[in-house]
Amino acid sequence: MTTTTSEKKTNDSIGILIVGIGGANGVTALAGLHANRDGVCWKGPRGEDMTPNYYGCITQLEPRGVHGGVGYRGVVKGLADASIAAVGGWDIRPTKLGDALLQQQIIDYDLSRQLRTGMNKTKVFRGYYDPDYIGSSQHPTATHVLTPKEVPNAAAALKIIRGDIRYFKWRHGLSSPSSSTNTGGRHTTVIWSASVEPNSEFTFDTAESLLRSFELTDEERGGKLPPSLIYATAAILENCSFVNGGSQNTLCGGLAALAKSRSSGRGKGLYCLGTDFKAGQTKFKTAAVEYLRTMGLTPRVIASSNHLGNNDMKNLATSVKTSKAKLRVKHNIFSAWEEEELDHKVSIMYTPYINDEKRDFVEYTSLGYLGQTHTMVTYTRASDSVLCVPLMIDAAVWCDYFSRRDWPYENVGKALAYLFKVPEGAAKGVDPGFFRQMEELKREVLAAGA
């Protein structure tokens, strides 16, 4: 077993375990936490002096302006300081995290250069790898993996991943080394930030059926369990929350039931949240369409096109099944409104030269007074990871905040629906409007903190 970090044990902060920590989101998250913790300054692309911040992380920002808004720090007590979070995770690639940060070319070079050595000291758990659940473009680099001898079946994989989580929590003072309970430290959240998987055909409605599936052979079960479901089950069994940042249909009734059964009466809530982080352009889309509807217009066509060249998009480009999983959530953003006349279409393209800097074009066509058309166009250009990482940090901080108050599972799912393209699980069917979702968050946060 390998440690996931060389840092000392944390003191009264949270644990964040990232599946796919060597990817663009993982290394960007770790870089930001290191920069903020150590106060690293650097030169920007035009030679300007730069200092670290938590822009985009509403759990780490204070209210701004005479009317408040923006952040929650100082509004409610008990929000964890992300800068002292214990961070670790798994990856199927052997590249050291500091080297991966430079290779990804997402943040400024001078900052990457300064963080490289420290991040390279962070060791990573070997990932559980199933080539059937990832695009062929990822196969050649998948060498930092658990061997078939170590994980001949799903039960063995579950056991090892649970052991990794227990070791991580003990190493950082997040729990007792002799117990799987979460007493003795703050909450740990496992976040799926690995490549998108094909959607699974398995449906587990109860905790019993989910756990029973690990006792069956692939033949008896009718196929292999997806890695994301194995990580999610391990997280819940080790009293961690699980966040599905990918597009695949990991969340199921069995996971929810398992989380509820293990958090009931323990004073430590556990949550399964998802699906697919709703970053910049998609979040703006839900705000823009809510604006159009609030103005009394009737949106009829929302046509969106986005392209980028990061590894996630490369994975989608080499697997029709994973691409379908991604488009499922992108197309279904507004499905909760049940407005059949709303025609929402999305196209995605892999363009290697663009790297992580996503380009998104959306045209909104609505009906106005006397049936006349109203057309609005938006263009977004931003780093996909820089938009996504604040959501990962906030998800972990919110899980800790609600967990320590043993806040009801359903309430937390609805409160954190704003984080995801298609809120599923307890959040399924919530209003997709961005501002309505933020109002729901505020209600639950203040109620839990009262």
Side-chain angles (χ1 to χ4, degrees), residues 40 176 200 262 282-283 285 288 441:
V40 179
S176 166
S200 172
R262 295 188 63 81
T282 306
K283 189 168 291 183
K285 186 186 295 183
L441 170 68

Side-chain angles (χ1 to χ4, degrees), residues 70-92:
V70 182
Y72 280 90
R73 181 159 297 280
V75 175
V76 292
K77 296 181 179 180
L79 290 178
D81 180 359
S83 294
I84 57 173
V87 183
W90 302 262
D91 207 281
I92 62 175

Side-chain angles (χ1 to χ4, degrees), residues 74-349:
V75 175
V76 292
K77 296 181 179 180
L79 290 178
D81 180 359
S83 294
I84 57 173
V87 183
W90 302 262
D91 207 281
I92 62 175
R93 291 179 295 271
T95 308
K96 293 181 179 180
L97 298 184
D99 295 340
L101 179 68
L102 276 176
Q103 291 175 10
Q104 301 287 355
Q105 300 180 25
I106 296 170
I107 61 175
D108 294 335
Y109 171 76
D110 189 38
L111 178 58
S112 297
R113 178 187 60 80
Q114 295 185 62
L115 296 175
R116 181 181 187 179
T117 300
M119 287 180 57
N120 273 346
K121 295 178 182 178
T122 304
K123 297 185 183 298
V124 181
F125 290 126
R126 286 177 296 147
Y128 173 62
Y129 170 67
D130 186 337
D132 292 339
Y133 279 96
I134 195 170
S136 60
S137 64
Q138 310 301 301
H139 295 181
T141 58
T143 59
H144 189 248
V145 299
L146 297 170
T147 66
K149 184 177 180 180
E150 292 173 300
V151 286
N153 50 49
L158 180 69
K159 181 179 180 180
I160 289 179
I161 293 170
R162 291 186 65 180
D164 291 343
I165 296 172
R166 284 197 299 272
Y167 180 83
F168 172 83
K169 292 169 71 174
W170 167 77
R171 174 68 179 81
H172 297 285
L174 295 165
S175 67
S176 166
S178 60
S179 171
S180 62
T181 64
N182 206 20
T183 57
R186 295 181 74 150
H187 196 63
T188 298
T189 300
V190 176
I191 301 175
W192 179 273
S193 185
S195 297
V196 175
E197 297 174 334
N199 282 327
S200 172
E201 296 180 359
F202 293 109
T203 302
F204 302 109
D205 296 326
T206 66
E208 293 74 19
S209 64
L210 173 62
L211 295 177
R212 169 64 178 160
S213 70
F214 284 90
E215 301 173 3
L216 304 175
T217 65
D218 293 343
E219 291 73 20
E220 293 171 332
R221 192 189 306 114
K224 299 178 181 178
L225 291 178
S228 62
L229 184 61
I230 298 175
Y231 278 100
T233 305
I236 298 303
L237 290 175
E238 293 303 324
N239 300 300
C240 303
S241 291
F242 177 78
V243 175
N244 179 25
S247 306
Q248 68 277 348
N249 58 346
T250 306
L251 301 191
C252 60
L255 275 176
L258 185 63
K260 292 178 185 178
S261 69
R262 295 188 63 81
S263 60
S264 178
R266 299 169 63 90
K268 293 284 184 180
L270 301 176
Y271 312 105
C272 291
L273 306 170
T275 290
D276 199 346
F277 284 118
K278 181 170 60 180
Q281 85 288 348
T282 306
K283 189 168 291 183
F284 181 79
K285 186 186 295 183
T286 61
V289 176
E290 185 178 6
Y291 154 76
L292 293 170
R293 295 171 87 243
T294 303
M295 291 295 292
L297 302 178
T298 301
R300 281 296 178 88
V301 178
I302 305 169
S304 175
S305 170
N306 60 71
H307 61 280
L308 70 164
N310 62 12
N311 193 59
D312 181 48
M313 192 62 73
K314 183 178 181 180
N315 175 55
L316 299 178
T318 57
S319 172
V320 174
K321 290 182 178 179
T322 57
S323 181
K324 286 182 178 179
K326 171 64 76 172
L327 290 174
R328 174 185 75 92
V329 296
K330 283 184 171 291
H331 286 155
N332 291 344
I333 292 171
F334 302 109
S335 60
W337 279 333
E338 297 183 0
E339 296 181 1
E340 295 183 0
E341 70 276 9
L342 178 57
D343 187 7
H344 178 220
K345 294 291 193 300
V346 181
S347 65
I348 56 176
M349 294 171 283

Side-chain angles (χ1 to χ4, degrees), residues 413-433:
K414 293 176 181 178
L416 301 186
Y418 82 96
L419 293 168
F420 306 103
K421 289 186 177 72
V422 178
E424 294 184 315
K428 187 174 183 178
V430 300
D431 191 316

Side-chain angles (χ1 to χ4, degrees), residues 374-397:
H374 171 284
T375 299
M376 181 174 71
V377 174
T378 61
Y379 174 69
T380 302
R381 176 176 173 176
S383 165
D384 199 44
S385 299
V386 170
L387 292 173
C388 188
V389 164
L391 305 185
M392 296 169 62
I393 295 173
D394 281 346
V397 174

